[in-house]
Amino acid sequence: MTDGIELERDGEVARLTLRRPEKMNAISFGMWSAIPGIVADVERDPAVTVLVLTGAGTDFSAGADIGEFRDLRSSADGAATYDKAVEAAVAALASMRKPSVAMIRGNCIGGGCQLAVASDFRFAAEGSRFGITPSKLGIVYHFDSTRQLVSLVGPANARYFLLSGLLVDAVRAREMGLVNEVFPAGALEESTLDFVRTLGSRSQASIRGMNRIIGKIVAGQAEPDSEVDELRAAAVHGEDYAEGVAAFLERRPPNFTFR
């Protein structure tokens, strides 16, 4: 465990927890720096099918630890180093082939919202709050994170978040396309894990291949390339395809083996 961040495994589910509840899980430079290695470990682990991101206590995350900025971002070189750590964390999450699910309660603001947007799915408890606040700090937002946000909520809502820095509640966030589902606070955990179990029951060859293709499209790719062709060819010649077709014809649940 890196200070402030923890990875636990429970069967096929890995859980990354931001664990600084006394600071509303504000993300330190060390935490940003640790995320790419954690994500790489999850991707390599054949026993894990899904990564769940959450926060300890009552909040997902109030954002980057602004208390570090005076020391770590006081110069152009310092700001560049800090930004590279944030960008690497976001890129690691966004490029995962295994699906990632942000399970959100309380505040999901600034860098916390940036991590949630980089995840594949976002499930929120009623009463959660969302906002992205570079305009309150004199920062111009990271390009890839802006693109991810625009792909989720469209340019008009992306401007609303980024230019105003205003917070919205979970219901409004769902209406804007930022959140997939909103649940009563007491049902968030089980509802999220129920969805995670659904992902685990599907063909992992399909999920990882399609997740890779979606990532390429979000990044601006307009036409299939050789990797896309290889992914699709490998799937149709794979064990999961044979099992999926057989299960459909035999009217039984499939038993996928690819991990």
Side-chain angles (χ1 to χ4, degrees):
M1 175 177 170
T2 299
D3 285 347
I5 197 166
E6 180 179 70
L7 181 69
E8 301 170 298
R9 293 173 175 85
D10 182 9
E12 294 185 340
V13 180
R15 182 182 295 226
L16 189 161
T17 304
L18 305 174
R19 195 170 291 283
R20 295 179 82 196
E22 73 285 355
K23 291 199 172 185
M24 300 171 66
N25 299 322
I27 308 167
S28 67
F29 177 79
M31 293 163 69
W32 289 116
S33 301
I35 288 173
I38 292 171
V39 168
D41 287 346
V42 170
E43 287 277 72
R44 284 192 298 263
D45 189 339
V48 172
T49 58
V50 181
L51 175 65
V52 175
L53 289 82
T54 192
T58 59
D59 294 292
F60 184 78
S61 174
D65 188 348
I66 306 301
E68 295 183 328
F69 280 20
R70 187 160 290 163
D71 292 329
L72 299 183
R73 294 179 61 102
S74 60
S75 67
D77 288 344
T81 298
Y82 195 99
D83 285 348
K84 284 179 182 178
V86 175
E87 291 165 11
V90 169
L93 268 178
S95 63
M96 284 187 71
R97 295 199 180 191
K98 294 180 180 180
S100 56
V101 181
M103 184 171 65
I104 300 159
R105 55 176 59 85
N107 288 298
C108 182
I109 299 170
C113 198
Q114 193 170 6
L115 290 180
V117 167
S119 302
D120 295 321
F121 304 94
R122 286 148 298 281
F123 296 103
E126 292 174 350
S128 301
R129 300 194 306 165
F130 298 82
I132 308 175
T133 55
S135 63
K136 292 184 177 181
L137 297 168
I139 293 171
V140 174
Y141 205 47
H142 177 222
F143 181 85
D144 285 342
S145 292
T146 303
R147 179 174 57 202
Q148 290 161 11
L149 181 65
V150 171
S151 75
L152 282 178
V153 303
N157 285 327
R159 287 188 174 97
Y160 181 93
F161 278 114
L162 294 174
L163 276 60
S164 75
L166 293 174
L167 305 185
V168 302
D169 64 20
V171 172
R172 180 69 180 125
R174 181 178 57 191
E175 292 171 350
M176 297 170 85
L178 185 67
V179 169
N180 295 94
E181 297 286 353
V182 178
F183 299 105
L188 175 65
E189 179 102 9
E190 185 55 34
S191 297
T192 301
L193 294 181
D194 185 58
F195 180 78
V196 165
R197 287 188 286 268
T198 295
L199 293 177
S201 73
R202 304 307 192 217
S203 164
Q204 299 306 301
S206 293
I207 282 177
R208 294 171 199 177
M210 292 185 293
N211 217 16
R212 175 62 175 157
I213 292 172
I214 291 168
K216 285 174 172 283
I217 293 169
V218 171
Q221 185 169 318
E223 300 291 339
D225 57 15
S226 60
E227 183 185 7
V228 171
D229 294 338
E230 289 167 8
L231 286 169
R232 300 190 71 238
V236 82
H237 291 98
E239 294 179 4
D240 276 6
Y241 175 73
E243 169 61 13
V245 172
F248 179 82
L249 294 175
E250 295 165 16
R251 298 185 179 181
R252 60 172 174 82
N255 181 24
F256 296 119
T257 58
F258 177 86
R259 287 292 182 265

